[in-house]
Amino acid sequence: MNYNDVLKTARTCIGNYCKACTICNGIACKNSLPGPGAKGVGDTAIRNYQKWQEIRVNMDTLFAPQSVDTSLTLFGQTFQYPFFAGPVGAVNLHYGDKLNDMSYNEILVSACKENGIAAFTGDGTDPRVMESATAAIANADGRGIPTVKPWNLDLIREKVKLAHKAGAFAVAMDIDAAGLPFLKNMTPPAGGKSVAELRQISDLVGVPFIVKGVMTVNGALKAKEAGASAIVVSNHGGRVLDQCPATAEVLPEIAAAVGSEMKVLVDGGIRSGTDIFKALALGAHGVLICRPFVTAVFGGEKEGVKSYIDKLADELKDAMTMCGAFRLSEITRDMVRK
Amino acid sequence: MNYNDVLKTARTCIGNYCKACTICNGIACKNSLPGPGAKGVGDTAIRNYQKWQEIRVNMDTLFAPQSVDTSLTLFGQTFQYPFFAGPVGAVNLHYGDKLNDMSYNEILVSACKENGIAAFTGDGTDPRVMESATAAIANADGRGIPTVKPWNLDLIREKVKLAHKAGAFAVAMDIDAAGLPFLKNMTPPAGGKSVAELRQISDLVGVPFIVKGVMTVNGALKAKEAGASAIVVSNHGGRVLDQCPATAEVLPEIAAAVGSEMKVLVDGGIRSGTDIFKALALGAHGVLICRPFVTAVFGGEKEGVKSYIDKLADELKDAMTMCGAFRLSEITRDMVRK
Amino acid sequence: MNYNDVLKTARTCIGNYCKACTICNGIACKNSLPGPGAKGVGDTAIRNYQKWQEIRVNMDTLFAPQSVDTSLTLFGQTFQYPFFAGPVGAVNLHYGDKLNDMSYNEILVSACKENGIAAFTGDGTDPRVMESATAAIANADGRGIPTVKPWNLDLIREKVKLAHKAGAFAVAMDIDAAGLPFLKNMTPPAGGKSVAELRQISDLVGVPFIVKGVMTVNGALKAKEAGASAIVVSNHGGRVLDQCPATAEVLPEIAAAVGSEMKVLVDGGIRSGTDIFKALALGAHGVLICRPFVTAVFGGEKEGVKSYIDKLADELKDAMTMCGAFRLSEITRDMVRK
Amino acid sequence: MNYNDVLKTARTCIGNYCKACTICNGIACKNSLPGPGAKGVGDTAIRNYQKWQEIRVNMDTLFAPQSVDTSLTLFGQTFQYPFFAGPVGAVNLHYGDKLNDMSYNEILVSACKENGIAAFTGDGTDPRVMESATAAIANADGRGIPTVKPWNLDLIREKVKLAHKAGAFAVAMDIDAAGLPFLKNMTPPAGGKSVAELRQISDLVGVPFIVKGVMTVNGALKAKEAGASAIVVSNHGGRVLDQCPATAEVLPEIAAAVGSEMKVLVDGGIRSGTDIFKALALGAHGVLICRPFVTAVFGGEKEGVKSYIDKLADELKDAMTMCGAFRLSEITRDMVRK
């Protein structure tokens, strides 16, 4: 079962909005919401994908071959690869009845753990989403990152408790969730946070705190000031604000600005190991991939996840070998052309 | 009734030239004249739309949430939003028999007034157009902007009298109307104006005078010298001269050149609240939107207008919230990426 | 009969290669040779057209209206407009049996003369082509420009004698004709010329000598050194060398380099009066238009030519009026945006 | 039989993956592997082709015509033209049953020799591939370049012996072959080489050694340090690493960096004599063309190869004549526009 087979199966059981495209580039779903599309005119996810394609890889094989080490150490944890499955919420609203947030996370978290990486889990207005996600993370010995929405402090406190109970090695917050159409006018509201509020949350979290949804140097510096251990350069796949820049466009300047104390992750249109290589060359420590893991779970459950991880791993190793980078720290800016 | 429903209805009753497209981007109508198309090869309206898409919004949600105030004060009047319905003329020539200039303006002016904004009305060779437009503005307590064509001074004087009688808070002139194919060889002729002539007109107008159809820094400085209170950076949707630059291309340099004494408005391809946000970030005080209000009136009359205004308002608030701008004056140049 | 009607008729009687497209942009004919297409992969004519579209016109109507004078004085002759019909050869090979070089030139030369401009005529291996072309020019009181191919000096001398006899006010040579596939391996051969050879030809010509087919600053300076009165910046519509730059790309640097003593004309993808305005703003003194005159002659003979000239004239006046240029010398570089 | 006829015949007998397209630009085959496609998303071969099209040729015919000398002297050998047929391997896997590596090389090597150029031959895991290739080269009096894969030193030594026995005037190694999907996990493995290893190989080779698959300045300098007589700037048609830059993008900086001691060849998307001219103008001494020779052999065997060589030769001479370059050394950087 390779990832193309997984996609074929996914097409038979995924909801009407996602087409489980061979190349998941935001074109077929464009602005279908509900569904995996982007907000407004819907070109942000497309731009995310395309801007990675404009970055090219500088092949150089005049190196003695070495075995490739793709392992990433983050917050004291070692992962086999520098990529993570991204958080998804409202799975059956957007992707159909076959799975819901609970069953989706259960499959994803354990499959990721078993294959050497970790999954971010999503959050929702239904409290059971976070409960089951953190239960799955607990089963995975804490190798998963619960992603709490930017609720009010009371609700955040509750959710963080679940994360602590699960032994999650880190906790994330998608700080841009205020823009999600499906969270509009919900009670309690989810919204932006000031630096002071974010510091409170960071203190509350205790374990490494990852702020997801940063698209500007200024935002990154505020997250750092608030005590974040990492940020995810992300525009939420275009789902929270119409017509953002692509993450590949803003990553280099953000990575340059934050220095080495805070880790920089990135998501948005990263689909292959080659794309991962590019992101690392542009300054990211690791990446998140989201929609393709959804089709992987729909199309092949744990085996589907494994096949996609294997594909990414092969491609990443390939790119590293062909550029003479044999561990992640050897991937440098001059290995890509922009 | 949302704006998509309005468009659907519009498609059943609008004339043959306008397709009431979901995205009104100048492609389907291209150079259909009569109709809503542009002049010559017809790519100016398309370029207007596309150049806004190239400007991207720099999301940053690390702000404490605040309620958003979108209100604009212009010439002593306060509007709920920084956008206006643009002027249209020869409605039944271009858009079919359902409405004419008189019935169109009547619906539009009052619907805009009731929803917190104001409409610009058009002018025509038939004197009844301006008469009924100013009557509609009078009914709206002067919340409307009659747009006088650049006739000779005698005719302008007559039209301005009507504007005064209606208590219009401002009067505009589309100084580029000489290029309209349907005004060619008419009596009296409409044409360009020298600075001296424009100052005469400005004095005659008395109330704030808005010069519409400026596309160069030099033109803007001449309008200022002539005493204009505001300009509209506009290429008349491509209908007066083939192959102009897009308004989004020239707005920043014009806004920078005129300083703060004269207000800068802009139109051309602005279709969403996100586009409005971009225009304000690039230096505009407000925007005009034209063709989509036509489909709104055809597709839903006053309710149609309301649904489009609500859509724009929601999108604008969304963009402001997601960038940490809680009133219009907080929208700054660094909030967009060009 | 407007030019669109002319095109419709042309489609009924022109040969199989030319489609008499509404927009003559090199796409439908691409590399059809015989036919109006370009050489090799055939993208040079397409690029010629497209590069004009990238140049935009800076509208400014804050000028007192004046009547527009489009007249051009060149070599002591006054023309109503700054455009010429370009030379065509092998008409029935490329455009079908309805016309041949003789009948084509007869119609074109007189129709151009009657409508205030002049036509360049083509040359061919058949001596009757130049004989009949110069006869047509004689009938037009010398208002036509015979274009001699770069044969050997003896043959050039013969052809120039015909030009003299016709009283042609100028003589041109398409110095790039060596690249024409249909002249390959013909006797006598047509080929490039050294500066010394070109000076000999220029002396022989006596009347103003126009060197057509210059695409570099260096080439322009050599033509000047050889005594040319004018050059035509031209890549022969892509028919002599695959993958040239567009003429709009090289015109500004060539115009800047040659100074005011030698006139600069340009052709390639100029289709509208707006394009003519752009060419003049970028430094040309006049332009040549070729293929659309072929469809004009096929579709409407003398009336067809008139309708196309009228169309161009209207568009040019329009662009001038809308930019505040009321005679050709007032068209300046800052009136276009590149 | 011209090359278009050859392509037509090729379409009747080539395997399912290659479409023998009129323009071989990587679009139809994209990422079909097996087949002639590129690796991963498959846009590298497409980019190779397109980047040549962006480079334009600066025509200047103000030169006295001379006869054109296209001959190239490389490593003491004189060739009629500065282009070579590139190496292909696994012919029947990628192109169908009609031919295999043995029969393909036999036709290609002799046809190239007879028409004044030379072919690079490929290598494979089957030892008979190199045996028959070198036999063909021996029959062509050593006018062929065996291309050895980067095996371990023992196997390289064996293969080089065959090359020596054949009297090959040069030996190449495609140093990027480690990325070929079909060589993955084979025994013995093919892989990258350190400078030290490459120098060993270069010493072993004795005759001029050509390192194929260099895409960076740094890689080129390492090849030079290791004693290579030439490099081929190549991304292996996109088949060894996804999303490389086009070779036309990196050629100028590499050619500038290596100086005149080491020769620079280039391949990737070069399809016409005009493209060859561009490559030489950008600093290459010669070029390799690969896929079109496959369709030439399938579609017309030796005659097919001749027709393609003749086509390239005509186009190259044409471009040279039209730019005033009458021998290869006269092709200079200013003859192209980028």
Side-chain angles (χ1 to χ4, degrees), chain D residues 129-142:
Chain D
V129 172
M130 184 60 79
E131 286 162 19
S132 77
T134 49
I137 291 170
N139 282 340
D141 304 325

Side-chain angles (χ1 to χ4, degrees), chain A residues 53 56-57 61 278 318, chain D residues 39 175 184 222 243-244:
Chain A
Q53 313 310 301
R56 312 302 294 185
V57 181
T61 57
K278 294 172 191 174
D318 211 34
Chain D
K39 200 171 169 177
I175 196 70
K184 275 270 149 84
K222 287 190 281 186
Q243 308 214 304
C244 292

